[in-house]
Amino acid sequence: MSTKPNNRYLTSASALVEEYRLLHGSIPDALNEESVPEQIRLQFLWKQIHSLPEKRAALCLSGGGARSATFSLGVLRALARLRLLDKFDYLSTVSGGGYIGGWLSTWIHRHPHGLRGVMEDLSTDAQNSSAREPFAVSWLRNYCSYLGLSPRLFSADSWTVVVTYLSNLILNWTLLFPIFMIPLLVPRMVIALAQLNTPDAPLPSWLFHAVLTISLGLTVIALIYLHTFRPTLSKHRRSLFWQRLEGQNSFINACLLPLITSMSGFTVAWAWFRNGGGILEQFSYSQAVLGGAVLHTGSWLFSAFMLKRFNVSRWLLLENVTVALTGALGGWLLLNVLKSGPKEIPIAHYAGWFACFAIPGLLAIVLMILTIFTGIASRFAQEEDLEWWERMKSWLFVILITWTLLSAVVVFGPGFLAWFDIDVFSVIATLSGIMILWLRFNPKHAARREVSESPLTMWIEQLPTIITPIFMLILLLYLVLGCD
């Protein structure tokens, strides 16, 4: 799930050597030798730079908002009075220093006399009443208010912030709300599909078989990827084709997504089977055990064939036996879970509960089988492979929890809101949002937090962490109402 490190990277010495070549042209032979240790190349490069006939200097203005910009303006005026401002070759700025640096560069570009004229204007003594402050400096003082806003209620700065915040908020929510609502529609889709194929409205049999076949195929694809791209099998994946399929993105697209999609397909197929009058007595334990063993072992054998793992050894046979046993155990567990559900009630009658817990139940079986497999495989597998499987289990666990919580909110959220007064939730959401904004962006609160470590202050500091999930949950419930 992690890409191989790229050995072709650019070192600091190589970057500085390239910069030296662009600035000064010719490069000494010693700087071109990449086999020389980097520290030695850097030391030689520094000596070469300091030995240049033309000495260069840079003026660096640091960040810090309005305070940095104000301080940097004083530095520039002092350098101008000392006739040192034109001695610099480079200007490097950050944040607030970038604001004053951009102002200086623009002024130099627009001044009729360039840098010399700017130095003369900046040398003007502001304390002398007879001296008039340069227009560029006055303009800077009058129109840099966004670095230090006026907090008055009826000031243009305050209302500009409010309007800018609200317009950006509305724009972002207009774009993001549809994206947020797409995951909320997935449980609804599963519920709608789980209510199909009733005796009054049967589905064609070919559709059931198609969903089941596609789900089996996606499961095989996920298992093949899981057994093919183990880290210790990289020696069998030397071709460019295999290397393109490595990495986390390929794992998600070729293993995780097919597995989750197949779990959803199996869930829908089982709901159609039960809604159509199917009974568990049609399946035996021997069929479930044999089917799970064949599914897992067949995927493993196909992976071994593609990687040409033909050198038979004791550990390879042990791995094969472990794959077969865990596959058989998975079939046995699946049939037991199916038998624990209601036998006489069609799934269409409790489709909401089914959508919440059916797919997480299948994922829990996969997690259990993978845990048993890694426990046995620790006898013959290496640490890299064990970590690979542990990461797979972590992905599955995250999806299991996320699906359960999201489906529970979608299925039971509207009823929960109907049980309580919806106006109460509106007030709670509004107050929690206001408190989050005040606690996060109030500078006085931030200052008190820095100088005080009392229990009350520390508790107030943790309030946003507590209130934010409440606000997001209520917001999610209202989005669910929009999808209901």
Side-chain angles (χ1 to χ4, degrees):
M1 277 159 268
S2 60
T3 57
K4 289 184 177 181
N6 186 4
N7 294 327
R8 300 187 62 185
Y9 56 88
L10 192 64
T11 63
S12 300
S14 300
L16 292 174
V17 167
E18 181 64 18
E19 181 184 32
Y20 183 92
R21 186 188 65 80
L22 293 174
L23 292 176
H24 308 293
S26 60
I27 304 176
D29 294 336
L31 294 179
N32 282 325
E33 296 294 335
E34 295 190 1
S35 58
V36 179
E38 182 177 6
Q39 190 61 32
I40 297 178
R41 292 181 71 197
L42 287 174
Q43 292 177 358
F44 183 81
L45 179 63
W46 295 333
K47 292 180 181 179
Q48 192 71 22
I49 292 174
H50 288 297
S51 63
L52 291 172
E54 183 181 0
K55 306 299 181 182
R56 297 179 184 270
L59 176 61
C60 303
L61 305 178
S62 65
R67 290 169 294 183
S68 173
T70 303
F71 177 79
S72 299
L73 176 61
V75 171
L76 293 177
R77 301 197 73 164
L79 292 174
R81 291 171 188 166
L82 296 173
R83 301 299 174 186
L84 296 176
L85 190 59
D86 59 345
K87 307 302 181 184
F88 295 97
D89 301 285
Y90 302 101
L91 177 64
S92 176
T93 63
V94 177
S95 190
Y99 177 77
I100 204 71
W103 166 81
L104 175 64
S105 301
T106 303
W107 190 12
I108 293 173
H109 176 72
R110 294 177 179 177
H111 200 288
H113 303 290
L115 179 57
R116 291 288 181 182
V118 170
M119 286 181 57
E120 293 296 332
D121 291 346
L122 282 176
S123 301
T124 304
D125 187 3
Q127 302 298 326
N128 188 352
S129 58
S130 61
R132 183 178 180 182
E133 188 174 58
F135 174 75
V137 178
S138 301
W139 181 278
L140 177 67
R141 297 187 190 280
N142 293 332
Y143 292 96
C144 69
S145 58
Y146 79 89
L147 289 175
L149 300 178
S150 175
R152 295 191 301 269
L153 177 61
F154 295 103
S155 68
D157 292 338
S158 300
W159 288 104
T160 299
V161 171
V162 173
V163 172
T164 302
Y165 176 80
L166 291 178
S167 60
N168 290 334
L169 183 66
I170 294 173
L171 178 61
N172 290 331
W173 281 13
T174 303
L175 297 175
L176 295 178
F177 268 15
I179 299 176
F180 290 157
M181 296 178 74
I182 290 176
L184 301 178
L185 293 175
V186 176
R188 291 287 177 191
M189 187 181 303
V190 175
I191 294 173
L193 292 174
Q195 294 174 334
L196 299 179
N197 199 37
T198 58
D200 297 332
L203 294 174
S205 59
W206 65 264
L207 185 59
F208 169 79
H209 292 97
V211 171
L212 190 60
T213 303
I214 293 174
S215 301
L216 284 172
L218 291 175
T219 304
V220 170
I221 291 174
L223 291 174
I224 290 175
Y225 188 95
L226 192 61
H227 288 296
T228 302
F229 288 90
R230 285 160 42 190
T232 55
L233 298 180
S234 58
K235 59 184 178 181
H236 299 283
R237 303 191 306 267
R238 299 187 182 276
S239 65
L240 183 61
F241 171 77
W242 294 119
Q243 294 177 4
R244 287 177 178 175
L245 294 177
E246 295 177 350
Q248 183 165 287
N249 291 334
S250 297
F251 163 78
I252 293 175
N253 296 326
C255 182
L256 195 61
L257 287 181
L259 183 61
I260 303 304
T261 307
S262 68
M263 297 295 104
S264 304
F266 284 134
T267 300
V268 171
W270 177 250
W272 290 354
F273 175 77
R274 293 286 289 112
N275 292 338
I279 56 176
L280 278 173
E281 283 68 19
Q282 296 177 239
F283 302 98
S284 63
Y285 278 103
S286 59
Q287 290 175 330
V289 169
L290 181 61
V294 170
L295 181 66
H296 200 186
T297 306
S299 304
W300 180 86
L301 289 174
F302 189 83
S303 169
F305 178 79
M306 287 195 305
L307 296 179
K308 300 179 180 179
R309 299 174 64 193
F310 301 137
N311 51 337
V312 180
S313 62
R314 182 167 63 95
W315 296 115
L316 188 65
L317 293 176
L318 180 59
E319 181 181 345
N320 190 7
V321 172
T322 304
V323 167
L325 289 176
T326 51
L329 180 60
W332 182 81
L333 286 174
L334 178 60
L335 189 57
N336 276 280
V337 171
L338 294 178
K339 286 189 174 184
S340 64
K343 298 180 180 180
E344 305 297 333
I345 306 175
I347 290 178
H349 293 176
Y350 57 94
W353 288 86
F354 184 77
C356 280
F357 302 109
I359 294 178
L362 290 178
L363 291 176
I365 293 176
V366 175
L367 268 174
M368 186 177 300
I369 296 303
L370 195 56
T371 301
I372 296 174
F373 177 81
T374 53
I376 301 175
S378 61
R379 299 284 299 176
F380 56 84
Q382 299 183 21
E383 290 295 332
E384 296 88 344
D385 290 343
L386 296 178
E387 183 180 357
W388 160 267
W389 288 318
E390 290 298 327
R391 288 179 179 272
M392 175 66 180
K393 290 192 290 185
S394 65
W395 276 100
L396 292 179
F397 184 76
V398 169
I399 295 174
L400 186 153
I401 298 298
T402 303
W403 178 273
T404 303
L405 295 178
L406 186 65
S407 300
V409 171
V410 170
V411 174
F412 306 112
F416 184 74
L417 286 177
W419 186 37
F420 288 91
D421 189 354
I422 195 171
D423 294 334
V424 175
F425 282 96
S426 301
V427 173
I428 294 175
T430 303
L431 292 178
S432 60
I434 293 174
M435 290 184 65
I436 292 171
L437 291 175
W438 180 77
L439 292 172
R440 288 296 188 190
F441 301 108
N442 186 0
K444 294 182 179 180
H445 168 68
R448 288 195 298 269
R449 184 176 58 200
E450 292 178 0
V451 300
S452 175
E453 294 184 357
S454 65
L456 179 61
T457 303
M458 297 177 64
W459 186 81
I460 293 176
E461 182 181 353
Q462 296 300 321
L463 271 181
T465 307
I466 302 173
I467 298 174
T468 301
I470 298 175
F471 175 78
M472 295 303 298
L473 178 60
I474 298 176
L475 179 62
L476 187 62
L477 289 174
Y478 278 106
L479 288 178
V480 169
L481 284 180
C483 300
D484 192 10

